Amino acid sequence: MLRMISLIAVMALGLSACSPAVTTGVDGGVRVYNISARDANEIPYRVLDNVNQLRAARGVGQLALSSELNAAAATHARDMSVQNRPWHFGSDGSSPLDRVRRTGYAGQFLGENISETFESELETVAAWMEQPDTRDVILAPGARNLGFAWFQEPNGKIWWTLITGS
């Protein structure tokens, strides 16, 4: 009997991972955060604006988007999806520093934030700001550049990566 209950629990857990991502809206309705083509073009600038507002409020200098850091972030966001786990090492054993170097970024790598979520980019940045270690990456005084990217799976799960450099 215990074996049967365990099997049912494992099957239910597995099936729950296949369902689409949903969150409850302010009106109590259900919404799915799907990144449209329009959103894809705007997301990096929304994040940059949001991060720069947070930095300005703390008296820290503004960041500029870096195509090299964006590329490193995009590579890692997709790779986390392939690995099906949020962590800082690539499937090839690469570290964030390795990935940044591969892009030819001339500055110094400072930090990387990652997330596996169904939330929007701004909700994700807000969650990073609640934790000291991820907040420190966003507010690093020596940071001058920002890389930001994501990979969204068909079920709606989004893998976010933010990188700062000097």
Side-chain angles (χ1 to χ4, degrees), residues 42-52 121-122 125 128 146 148 160 162:
E42 295 176 1
I43 285 173
Y45 299 101
R46 285 197 296 250
V47 170
L48 179 66
D49 290 345
N50 184 251
V51 165
N52 280 335
E121 65 281 359
L122 298 182
V125 170
W128 285 332
L146 175 74
F148 187 79
W160 301 104
L162 178 146

Side-chain angles (χ1 to χ4, degrees), residues 78-147:
R78 180 177 290 276
D79 191 49
M80 285 189 297
S81 172
V82 168
Q83 296 182 73
N84 196 33
R85 64 178 169 179
W87 75 322
H88 293 283
F89 293 94
S91 57
D92 62 355
S94 63
S95 70
L97 180 59
D98 295 329
R99 290 187 297 276
V100 167
R101 282 183 181 156
R102 288 179 191 162
T103 67
Y105 180 68
Q108 180 183 3
F109 165 78
L110 294 178
E112 177 183 74
N113 288 344
I114 57 173
S115 180
E116 165 196 21
T117 184
F118 295 105
E119 296 178 325
S120 74
E121 65 281 359
L122 298 182
E123 290 168 317
T124 301
V125 170
W128 285 332
M129 288 298 291
E130 292 177 9
Q131 300 299 317
D133 57 338
T134 51
R135 180 176 51 240
D136 289 348
V137 171
I138 293 170
L139 300 177
R144 299 293 173 260
N145 298 117
L146 175 74

Side-chain angles (χ1 to χ4, degrees), residues 14-73:
L15 286 174
S16 69
C18 297
S19 63
V22 295
T23 55
T24 305
V26 177
D27 61 355
V30 175
R31 70 177 174 90
V32 175
Y33 186 71
N34 287 314
I35 299 174
S36 68
R38 178 181 167 194
D39 286 333
N41 291 327
E42 295 176 1
I43 285 173
Y45 299 101
R46 285 197 296 250
V47 170
L48 179 66
D49 290 345
N50 184 251
V51 165
N52 280 335
Q53 288 174 3
L54 293 166
R55 290 174 63 84
R58 302 287 176 100
V60 185
Q62 303 287 290
L63 302 181
L65 283 176
S66 161
S67 59
E68 294 91 355
L69 295 181
N70 284 344

